[in-house]
Amino acid sequence: MKTGIIIPCYNEEKRLDQEAFVSFVSQNEDYHLCFVNDGSKDNTLDVLHKMKEQAPDAISIVDVKKNSGKATAVRAGARFLYNESYISSIGFMDADLSTDFRDFKDLVKTMKNENKIMVFGSRNSGGNSKIERNFMRNVFSKFIKQFILLILGMPIRDTQCGAKVFTRDIVPVVYQEAFLSKWLFDVEIFLRLKKHLGKDNVMKRITEQPLMRWVHVDDSKLGTKDALIIPGKLTQIWFNYNLLNTDNSVHEIYGGSFAVNNASTEYSIAA
């Protein structure tokens, strides 16, 4: 059984560390990498295929034809990996390796040892973490963090860290429905788990774990325009999850429609 790691990619041709990815998956047979090309306009897809040629059994490629945002890319990867019987846990990390493989493996180890359904990295947990951040990005993040805490009603220090891992059985709960936001889907993940497990039990089943290293890489896909609409998107999420309070039964969540019925390790998804 393996842990599948989803790596969403949009115009990553020049940033993908091909050697690092291929080396990791070659040395760690209990991991499988699933790269999701999110409608890239450069040669990202060609780069992904070159990596796959070096590790054909350990790398999969999902090609989303139209750029739809990180939420759609991660969800597409989760649906693909869930259909592979040898995958026991599914997580995601950023293509720029702002979180390194050592930290990700520590998340998986904690999940298994402590019998959690989800473990996620935190860039705000103090300790001996070596964190490098852009100053203005840090100020903006702190402002948004307070808004998110209000929406969640959960003591989570860092919802937006791009390193999370889930047990296989909870994946349909998290990824069955499309997300409202392209970039704030992490907030929706926590709200879905809270709704599924109940607010009194959710924090007992998930763990926030400090990262030893996290480096913000320039050329972020989240532009100024996207940043300006974040408060409005968070308000929309709060309204939909807390006021509308739409519900899905366990039967619906675990319906067979979640799995992607495609035996190939490479396929296209119509956005």
Side-chain angles (χ1 to χ4, degrees):
M1 301 301 287
K2 298 185 178 184
T3 294
I5 306 179
I6 303 159
I7 303 103
C9 302
Y10 176 64
N11 292 346
E12 301 285 355
E13 174 191 1
K14 297 179 180 180
R15 298 204 305 174
L16 278 171
D17 190 338
Q18 300 179 53
E19 183 179 353
F21 283 113
V22 173
S23 177
F24 170 77
V25 81
S26 298
Q27 297 173 19
N28 295 270
E29 296 182 352
D30 53 341
Y31 281 85
H32 185 95
L33 301 182
C34 176
F35 291 92
V36 182
N37 179 45
D38 183 23
S40 297
K41 295 177 175 61
D42 62 1
N43 294 318
T44 293
L45 189 58
D46 292 336
V47 173
L48 297 181
H49 280 290
K50 288 179 181 178
M51 284 194 288
K52 182 173 175 58
E53 289 175 0
Q54 299 177 66
D57 296 327
I59 292 178
S60 297
I61 301 170
V62 173
D63 185 21
V64 179
K65 295 301 182 181
K66 180 181 178 181
N67 175 244
S68 302
K70 185 177 179 181
T72 297
V74 170
R75 183 169 177 259
R79 292 168 69 88
F80 172 78
L81 288 173
Y82 186 80
N83 202 41
E84 302 298 323
S85 59
Y86 58 85
I87 298 295
S88 60
S89 55
I90 297 173
F92 61 86
M93 64 189 298
D94 293 330
D96 58 19
L97 291 178
S98 52
T99 300
D100 63 18
F101 291 116
R102 179 184 60 181
D103 271 325
F104 193 90
K105 290 176 69 174
D106 284 343
L107 299 182
V108 175
K109 182 178 180 180
T110 296
M111 187 175 71
K112 293 179 178 179
N113 291 344
E114 298 184 8
N115 193 30
K116 302 293 185 178
I117 63 169
M118 172 191 179
V119 179
F120 53 103
S122 175
R123 302 159 293 181
N124 299 313
S125 297
N128 296 318
S129 300
K130 297 178 180 179
I131 309 297
E132 298 178 30
R133 278 191 181 152
N134 175 278
F135 175 74
M136 291 306 298
R137 184 183 177 94
N138 194 30
V139 171
F140 180 73
S141 295
K142 288 182 178 180
F143 171 76
I144 294 301
K145 174 185 172 183
Q146 298 305 314
F147 197 176
I148 291 176
L149 286 175
L150 179 64
I151 293 172
L152 291 181
M154 301 163 64
I156 296 173
R157 296 174 63 89
D158 185 6
T159 61
Q160 302 308 111
C161 177
K164 295 179 174 66
V165 62
F166 310 80
T167 57
R168 178 186 178 87
D169 60 342
I170 204 65
V171 166
V173 173
V174 176
Y175 296 105
Q176 174 76 7
E177 303 295 334
F179 294 104
L180 296 173
S181 171
K182 293 182 178 181
W183 303 104
L184 296 166
F185 70 100
D186 302 79
V187 177
E188 297 185 62
I189 286 175
F190 289 108
L191 288 171
R192 291 177 182 188
L193 290 174
K194 180 181 178 181
K195 183 176 181 180
H196 180 71
L197 298 171
K199 66 178 181 179
D200 295 331
N201 295 319
V202 63
M203 294 306 298
K204 298 176 183 178
R205 302 300 311 280
I206 66 178
T207 292
E208 183 170 15
Q209 183 164 299
L211 298 176
M212 295 302 295
R213 173 188 173 275
W214 186 86
V215 179
H216 169 60
V217 180
D218 290 334
D219 190 28
S220 172
K221 301 303 182 297
L222 183 64
T224 303
K225 182 179 178 181
D226 297 305
L228 292 175
I229 66 175
I230 283 179
K233 277 295 181 182
L234 286 173
T235 301
Q236 180 188 15
I237 290 171
W238 173 79
F239 181 80
N240 277 269
Y241 283 88
N242 292 302
L243 292 185
L244 294 183
N245 196 32
T246 54
D247 191 21
N248 289 310
S249 68
V250 173
H251 175 73
E252 289 172 334
I253 286 175
Y254 282 92
S257 62
F258 180 78
V260 177
N261 295 317
N262 191 315
S264 173
T265 55
E266 297 182 25
Y267 61 94
S268 299
I269 295 178

